[in-house]
Amino acid sequence: MKHNILIVEDDADITELLTLYLDGSDFHVLSAADGEQALQLVKQHPISAALVDVMMPRMNGYEFIRTVRQHTSFPIIIVSARTMDADEVLGLDIGADAYIRKPFNPMVLVAQVRAVLRRAYDLTCDSADKPALKLEVGDLQLDLEKSLLKKRGEIVPLTLSELKIMTLFMKSPGRVYTKAQLYACINGDYYENDENTMMVHISNIRAKMEDNPETPGYIRTVRGLGYKLEDPKD
């Protein structure tokens, strides 16, 4: 069965280009010219991943992502001509898994779609070392079968990228992971300019999970090295 890839883009030329390359890579492509059309397609079809522009009429990309993240967790890649770091931070904050700037290489973009799909179906980031179906650290319980993180019985709403980071942490509590290791787990190769992306992911997880994100008890920063997960009761 082919993966359904949703393109949300108001530039017909870009949509045609992406459709050509995705179709040639054995994906089934759905397209919408704005966020409202895209929401209808999400309701009508199972979506495996979405490529979303930011500036669109009626409902822009940010509004679409905010809305769709209330009830779905498929990977979302923003593809935008906006190049400010603040635009990327906002996109990641509201639930995107990656941010790609225009102009882009369509072959590289298709490869990134394949990568996020592979990782979307393997939360462990390590196929040779599958953990138990449920992982527990303190008041946190991660159900790998259902892809759900709970804290004291309440669901913590995480994106797929955030779930992958938490899976890596909860497999090895106390182990320090560098930003490069965490980024490689969710997106593959790491580049220096991806450091900001990982910091946003960690900040978002803390905001959703910690009792007090300003003084986190679970995800600790190890200065000069990276991050680790600990039981705050230890």
Side-chain angles (χ1 to χ4, degrees):
M1 182 176 177
K2 291 185 178 182
H3 284 291
N4 289 331
I5 308 300
L6 174 61
I7 301 172
V8 191
E9 168 68 64
D10 65 336
D11 187 319
D13 291 336
I14 293 178
T15 297
E16 183 178 358
L17 176 66
L18 287 172
T19 300
L20 177 67
Y21 277 86
L22 290 166
D23 210 29
S25 299
D26 207 30
F27 293 115
H28 180 248
V29 179
L30 301 167
S31 63
D34 60 61
E36 290 187 5
Q37 292 180 15
L39 286 177
Q40 292 304 312
L41 290 175
V42 170
K43 293 176 182 178
Q44 297 166 5
H45 304 275
I47 303 299
S48 300
L51 303 174
V52 181
D53 186 22
V54 172
M55 303 307 296
M56 294 179 294
R58 295 209 296 173
M59 177 184 284
N60 65 37
Y62 292 141
E63 293 170 335
F64 166 75
I65 294 171
R66 284 193 185 99
T67 302
V68 82
R69 272 292 179 251
Q70 295 175 15
H71 52 83
T72 65
S73 60
F74 56 75
I76 296 176
I77 301 173
I78 291 178
V79 185
S80 174
R82 299 175 71 104
T83 59
M84 299 293 290
D85 286 344
D87 296 315
E88 180 174 352
V89 170
L90 176 58
L92 295 170
D93 271 342
I94 62 177
D97 297 278
Y99 192 103
I100 295 175
R101 293 175 170 85
K102 298 176 181 176
F104 56 85
N105 182 323
M107 294 180 65
V108 172
L109 186 53
V110 170
Q112 293 197 4
V113 170
R114 290 199 195 97
V116 298
L117 288 173
R118 282 197 304 270
R119 292 177 177 85
Y121 294 103
D122 179 17
L123 285 175
T124 68
C125 300
D126 185 356
S127 59
D129 183 21
K130 300 290 185 183
L133 290 178
K134 291 186 179 180
L135 303 173
E136 294 188 18
V137 176
D139 292 327
L140 302 176
Q141 184 180 71
L142 179 60
D143 188 324
L144 294 173
E145 190 172 25
K146 297 180 179 178
S147 298
L148 284 178
L149 178 69
K150 291 184 178 181
K151 181 179 180 181
R152 304 186 190 110
E154 297 292 326
I155 294 175
V156 180
L158 299 180
T159 67
L160 280 171
S161 294
E162 293 162 1
L163 277 169
K164 287 184 172 296
I165 293 170
M166 285 304 300
T167 302
L168 200 62
F169 279 144
M170 292 183 70
K171 283 175 60 180
S172 301
R175 175 179 171 179
V176 178
Y177 288 95
T178 66
K179 295 183 182 73
Q181 288 172 322
L182 294 172
Y183 193 89
C185 174
I186 61 174
N187 282 326
D189 294 335
Y190 175 84
Y191 303 95
E192 288 186 11
N193 61 356
D194 293 325
E195 180 171 326
N196 188 55
T197 299
M198 185 49 57
M199 291 173 66
V200 172
H201 283 315
I202 294 295
S203 177
N204 288 343
I205 295 171
R206 282 171 167 165
K208 296 174 182 179
M209 185 184 73
E210 298 281 3
D211 290 334
N212 183 357
E214 298 300 321
T215 55
Y218 283 99
I219 299 180
R220 309 285 182 85
T221 299
V222 181
R223 192 173 299 277
L225 293 176
Y227 303 96
K228 65 179 178 178
L229 182 75
E230 291 187 344
D231 183 344
K233 298 174 184 176
D234 290 345

